[in-house]
Amino acid sequence: MRSLKKTKGNNKILYFIVLIFTFISSFLMLYSLSLLNGIEDKIRLLFSIDLVIILIFFFYLTIKFLKNKNKRHTLFIIFLMFYSILLLVASYYIKRTYKVIDKMTSNSTTYYSSLITLKENKANTISDVTTGSIGYLSDSSSIDGNQIPKEIIKTEKIKNKTVEYDSYVNLIEDLLKGEVDYAFVPGNYVLMFSNLDGVDFEELEDDTKVLYTKQKDISNEANLKNNNLKDPFTVLIMGVDSENENIKGSSFNGDALMLLTFNPTTLNTTILSIPRDSYVPIACFTNKKKNKITHAAWYGEDCMMDTIEDFLDVEIDYYVKINFKGVVKLIDTLGGIDVEVPYSFCEQDSNRKFGKNTIYVKEGMQHLNGEQALALSRNRKTNANKCSSEWTKGVRNDFVRGQNQQLVLRSLLNSLKNIKDLDTVYNLLNTISNNMETNMTTNEILSLYNIGKDIIVKADGSKMEDLIGFQRLYLNGEDARIYDSATGLNLYNYVLYNNSIKAVTNTMKINLGIKKPTMIKKFNFDINKEYKEEVIGKNETGSTSVIKLPNFIGLNEDTALKKAQNLGISTTIKYVTNGNGENLTVLKQSIVAGTDVSNVKSLILTVLKEDKVDSNVENDLESSNIGSNLETNQES
């Protein structure tokens, strides 16, 4: 009798434990489902209601079994256990997916500032920095170049002499020449500056060492533009260089810039690769001084986004930073991609090494692995000094690289529809989460599911690019050598044609629904001619917004003054009595020819004048030259 009561009591305890377990697993599942905001909302709601009804039903059956002493209670307990475990496993995978996606979202930007010195310097830590001068940027808006260095100097109580610089180039050059003993630079300075045009910083890693590094997280403004991506939106894809397979702590270098607009209703996408040497106003430079757009990357993604918004007149909703090294793993996880390679080439591997690590890819349709796809995305030089002529034929430049990046992106999208197992999905998600960073919220990323589902349903086995309309855009311009005060050199720049910018901007605004399209009333078609996809903006020319300062040397004084006045430049004439040249001709100019006139506020022209000018003549000349100043000076 006592044994029977004990068994009955044990059954009640067991029922109670299993029921509690079922309650917990059900609520965990309900919580997990609530995380998937925007994904199959109706189905999630119905499933949640079913879970609650089932839970109530199980509670009812438990009470009934206990009252009626039903002998099938053992089977019921087993079923409850199995059901609960199933819910736990399902909720685990949902939360795991959510956690991986949430990892991609960045609510802040991490900046790193490093104190560096030359290798031969005896100092090895920041505590050894007791003598010598320290250089940092003068721009107070620069977080890693000015703000963090000042914080370090204050907290570490550094008393050394400090020197402010207008650019990293001048700062690093002075460090290498010994003009300054220490320098504050971005944490990933080697990758940022070792391949910089116009200066020889290739041995920067071997010549310098890091004494101290500090990081600072800066909160980003909340993004409230799109909550579920139902409306058209823009995404700026930015390439990031890193020495490892993790985007955290990696520097955005501005070499790979791709602006996409996407219309969820029409499934039309515009793709614009922005050349790194595009000469545009840099939003975070003083007075928005023009420079290569790649240099905006020195100041982070906010500066880059503002710069692109300014010159293209299109608002950027989101950015996505992608680690170049992560591309290798991503494509390898997919099993490679099929690409029509435009030419045979050789390129560095993902660690930027040639020699035995050189990547070789042949022209034609190829199945590329991750390293090969990354090499194609990076290639912009023939590398004739590294490889034989077989691999160096054809035109290579920044524009070709941009087109190659678009080829890789389109092939990557086509490969995504071939994913058939859950393990591959999670491997992809893990790879992406480690190598991608975005200002999209987690809910916004989740809402991409609806777009993807719509595409897959409509695709029905066809290529992704056949369903999604890809419009290729192109920024046309002209080559120009423009004097750069930071390097003291006439550097190559790509000056954009205004008409090309307008054509590109117009197409993006139409896709975003901001402007109405112009209806085409006439259409010519010839069956004997092969159809070629139109690249919008490529054939547009016209004027540019850049006027370069002329070379005044050797010109007659009056001619030089008229030219300067026509350009709106305030000019001062400085007379000298000796020099190589004809009388009343310009011997020197204070600002180098080739400088962007928009950056020239005043100009001093040194003119040879053999006879001394008296004060009356000087006053007459001043009154006859509007916007110009004349200065009499005797120089030998």
Side-chain angles (χ1 to χ4, degrees):
M1 190 72 171
R2 204 180 277 179
S3 176
L4 187 62
K5 286 183 179 180
K6 188 176 181 181
T7 301
K8 186 178 178 182
N10 289 339
N11 286 340
K12 286 184 178 181
I13 294 172
L14 184 60
Y15 266 117
F16 181 75
I17 293 173
V18 172
L19 194 60
I20 292 295
F21 185 51
T22 305
F23 265 97
I24 292 172
S25 59
S26 297
F27 281 115
L28 284 174
M29 187 61 185
L30 287 170
Y31 171 71
S32 300
L33 288 172
S34 69
L35 296 175
L36 304 180
N37 187 33
I39 296 181
E40 304 291 1
D41 289 335
K42 290 181 180 179
I43 295 175
R44 286 189 305 114
L45 178 60
L46 289 173
F47 190 73
S48 299
I49 293 172
D50 288 342
L51 275 176
V52 174
I53 292 173
I54 291 171
L55 190 60
I56 294 171
F57 179 67
F58 282 160
F59 182 77
Y60 166 76
L61 287 180
T62 301
I63 300 299
K64 185 177 180 181
F65 280 151
L66 287 174
K67 284 184 177 180
N68 298 335
K69 302 178 183 179
N70 197 306
K71 294 182 179 180
R72 290 180 292 178
H73 65 272
T74 303
L75 290 176
F76 181 63
I77 290 175
I78 293 173
F79 177 78
L80 277 183
M81 288 292 293
F82 177 79
Y83 173 78
S84 301
I85 292 171
L86 189 66
L87 290 181
L88 286 176
V89 171
S91 62
Y92 164 77
Y93 277 105
I94 292 173
K95 283 190 286 186
R96 178 184 170 186
T97 303
Y98 181 86
K99 188 177 180 180
V100 170
I101 293 173
D102 188 55
K103 187 179 176 182
M104 302 176 200
T105 299
S106 175
N107 295 321
S108 64
T109 300
T110 302
Y111 293 87
Y112 293 82
S113 184
S114 295
L115 180 64
I116 66 171
T117 188
L118 297 179
K119 278 279 176 71
E120 58 265 25
N121 193 314
K122 292 182 180 180
N124 291 311
T125 65
I126 194 169
S127 59
D128 299 328
V129 182
T130 55
T131 60
S133 55
I134 301 175
Y136 60 83
L137 285 194
S138 58
D139 185 0
S140 59
S141 66
S142 174
I143 296 171
D144 46 12
N146 180 283
Q147 295 178 20
I148 299 178
K150 285 182 177 179
E151 290 176 8
I152 294 173
I153 290 171
K154 184 178 179 180
T155 55
E156 297 296 327
K157 298 179 181 178
I158 297 174
K159 305 297 183 182
N160 300 53
K161 174 187 174 183
T162 58
V163 183
E164 294 188 345
Y165 285 83
D166 291 334
S167 74
Y168 283 121
V169 173
N170 291 339
L171 173 55
I172 295 173
E173 282 184 329
D174 275 7
L175 177 69
L176 296 176
K177 289 187 295 186
E179 300 291 332
V180 67
D181 300 291
Y182 306 94
F184 280 107
V185 292
N188 215 356
Y189 71 99
V190 173
L191 289 173
M192 288 180 71
F193 303 121
S194 58
N195 293 312
L196 198 63
D197 293 338
V199 289
D200 184 15
F201 290 162
E202 290 185 6
E203 305 300 323
L204 196 57
E205 185 174 15
D206 296 328
D207 294 338
T208 60
K209 60 183 177 182
V210 177
L211 303 181
Y212 183 79
T213 298
K214 180 178 179 179
Q215 76 175 63
K216 185 175 183 178
D217 294 328
I218 304 296
S219 297
N220 298 327
E221 293 182 4
N223 191 326
L224 302 174
K225 297 171 185 174
N226 289 290
N227 292 321
N228 50 23
L229 304 185
K230 289 181 180 179
D231 299 320
F233 59 90
T234 54
V235 180
L236 176 63
I237 299 176
M238 302 182 286
V240 170
D241 255 334
S242 175
E243 296 175 348
N244 49 55
E245 290 183 1
N246 196 316
I247 199 168
K248 300 299 181 185
S250 304
S251 68
F252 159 46
N253 58 12
D255 281 354
L257 296 169
M258 196 180 294
L259 183 62
L260 279 67
T261 69
F262 182 74
N263 190 314
T265 304
T266 63
L267 297 184
N268 190 61
T269 304
T270 67
I271 307 176
L272 173 67
S273 294
I274 303 174
R276 68 191 294 275
D277 294 318
S278 297
Y279 190 70
V280 298
I282 307 300
C284 51
F285 281 15
T286 304
N287 299 321
K288 293 190 176 182
K289 185 177 178 180
K290 290 182 179 179
N291 211 304
K292 297 178 188 236
I293 196 170
T294 186
H295 293 169
W298 297 351
Y299 295 83
E301 57 269 10
D302 287 339
C303 179
M304 181 61 76
M305 290 174 71
D306 291 341
T307 296
I308 294 173
E309 286 181 339
D310 284 350
F311 90 87
L312 285 179
D313 191 29
V314 173
E315 189 173 5
I316 298 173
D317 297 309
Y318 306 108
Y319 72 79
V320 175
K321 292 197 295 184
I322 298 177
N323 182 10
F324 282 140
K325 276 207 167 184
V327 173
V328 176
K329 193 171 181 181
L330 178 65
I331 291 174
D332 285 340
T333 302
L334 285 169
I337 58 175
D338 295 319
V339 181
E340 183 73 40
V341 181
Y343 52 81
S344 299
F345 69 92
C346 69
E347 187 54 77
Q348 300 167 314
D349 67 354
S350 58
N351 294 314
R352 295 192 177 276
K353 292 182 179 179
F354 278 107
K356 64 179 182 179
N357 301 298
T358 303
I359 305 297
Y360 297 92
V361 180
K362 286 190 174 183
E363 179 183 357
M365 179 58 73
Q366 304 290 345
H367 187 74
L368 305 183
N369 61 27
E371 284 283 356
Q372 293 170 325
L374 178 60
L376 177 60
S377 300
R378 277 179 168 173
N379 183 250
R380 70 184 179 102
K381 297 179 181 179
T382 58
N383 298 314
N385 60 332
K386 302 289 184 181
C387 311
S388 64
S389 59
E390 176 187 357
W391 310 97
T392 59
K393 297 174 183 176
V395 177
R396 319 286 177 85
N397 52 41
D398 200 39
F399 318 106
V400 172
R401 177 170 67 172
Q403 300 301 307
N404 292 342
Q405 289 169 356
Q406 292 185 21
L407 288 174
V408 171
L409 179 62
R410 291 169 75 163
S411 299
L412 184 60
L413 289 173
N414 279 329
S415 298
L416 291 175
K417 67 183 179 60
N418 297 325
I419 301 173
K420 300 188 184 301
D421 60 274
L422 201 59
D423 286 339
T424 302
V425 171
Y426 278 111
N427 287 335
L428 281 174
L429 285 174
N430 284 323
T431 300
I432 292 171
S433 66
N434 289 326
N435 294 284
M436 191 186 92
E437 193 172 272
T438 179
N439 62 341
M440 284 185 177
T441 64
T442 305
N443 286 341
E444 287 166 343
I445 297 174
L446 286 172
S447 65
L448 289 171
Y449 162 85
N450 296 312
I451 297 173
K453 184 187 74 171
D454 193 29
I455 293 171
I456 291 171
V457 169
K458 292 177 181 178
D460 194 25
S462 61
K463 285 187 176 181
M464 199 79 73
E465 62 186 284
D466 293 335
L467 182 65
I468 302 176
F470 284 100
Q471 282 184 287
R472 290 198 296 159
L473 310 181
Y474 188 98
L475 285 170
N476 197 17
E478 61 182 28
D479 300 335
R481 288 278 170 181
I482 300 175
Y483 181 76
D484 181 60
S485 58
T487 61
L489 299 170
N490 281 307
L491 297 182
Y492 169 78
N493 286 272
Y494 186 60
V495 182
L496 306 175
Y497 289 127
N498 291 327
N499 288 344
S500 183
I501 295 175
K502 287 178 182 176
V504 164
T505 299
N506 185 63
T507 303
M508 287 191 290
K509 286 185 175 181
I510 289 172
N511 196 45
L512 293 170
I514 298 172
K515 291 184 69 175
K516 291 183 178 181
T518 302
M519 298 302 295
I520 300 174
K521 296 181 180 180
K522 291 184 179 181
F523 179 75
N524 295 323
F525 175 74
D526 189 342
I527 196 170
N528 296 315
K529 290 184 179 180
E530 182 182 356
Y531 170 74
K532 290 186 178 179
E533 179 186 359
E534 179 188 7
V535 181
I536 298 168
K538 188 171 186 178
N539 297 319
E540 300 288 346
T541 55
S543 64
T544 67
S545 58
V546 176
I547 300 174
K548 294 193 292 181
L549 187 71
N551 184 1
F552 293 100
I553 297 174
L555 294 180
N556 177 272
E557 176 188 347
D558 290 337
T559 303
L561 277 172
K562 287 178 181 177
K563 274 196 171 186
Q565 287 172 13
N566 290 336
L567 294 172
I569 300 172
S570 177
T571 309
T572 299
I573 299 294
K574 182 178 181 181
Y575 291 111
V576 296
T577 57
N578 293 317
N580 295 323
E582 296 182 8
N583 191 38
L584 296 178
T585 59
V586 178
L587 300 182
K588 289 191 300 184
Q589 59 190 78
S590 60
I591 298 177
V592 179
T595 302
D596 187 345
V597 169
S598 65
N599 297 325
V600 179
K601 304 304 178 186
S602 61
L603 178 69
I604 300 174
L605 297 178
T606 302
V607 175
L608 176 64
K609 188 171 182 64
E610 295 175 349
D611 297 325
K612 183 176 180 181
V613 180
D614 60 37
S615 59
N616 292 329
V617 175
E618 182 180 338
N619 290 333
D620 291 340
L621 287 170
E622 283 181 345
S623 62
S624 65
N625 291 287
I626 300 172
S628 300
N629 300 312
L630 299 175
E631 178 183 323
T632 302
N633 190 17
Q634 297 287 346
E635 285 190 3
S636 57

